[in-house]
Amino acid sequence: MGSVFISISSKDDLFVSGLLKILTQGGISYWKAPEHIPKDSEYAKAAPAAIEACDVFLLVLSERAQKSVWVDKE
């Protein structure tokens, strides 16, 4: 598997940290905001480019994610 774009609500970071650990241990790279947004870039520009570059789009669906404006845009 190649790289994974992870779409989440930032309020679900505790759950997602466990998921990221599993991916990393499996040798799978990932892209997750805000940690992978280049310093001189904006999320609105960085995210679409990352989605295109990744092989898999993973939506961590939760009640919080369903209310997230950014998850909806991704």
Side-chain angles (χ1 to χ4, degrees), residues 43-66:
Y43 178 78
K45 292 180 182 177
I51 291 169
E52 287 293 322
C54 288
D55 299 309
V56 174
F57 182 96
L58 175 62
L59 169 62
V60 177
L61 187 59
S62 68
E63 186 175 336
R64 294 175 192 144
Q66 289 178 315

Side-chain angles (χ1 to χ4, degrees), residues 22-43:
I22 292 168
L23 291 174
T24 302
Q25 288 174 342
I28 300 169
S29 62
Y30 65 88
W31 192 99
K32 180 181 95 54
E35 65 193 69
H36 290 108
I37 298 173
K39 291 182 183 186
D40 295 334
S41 183
E42 296 176 20
Y43 178 78

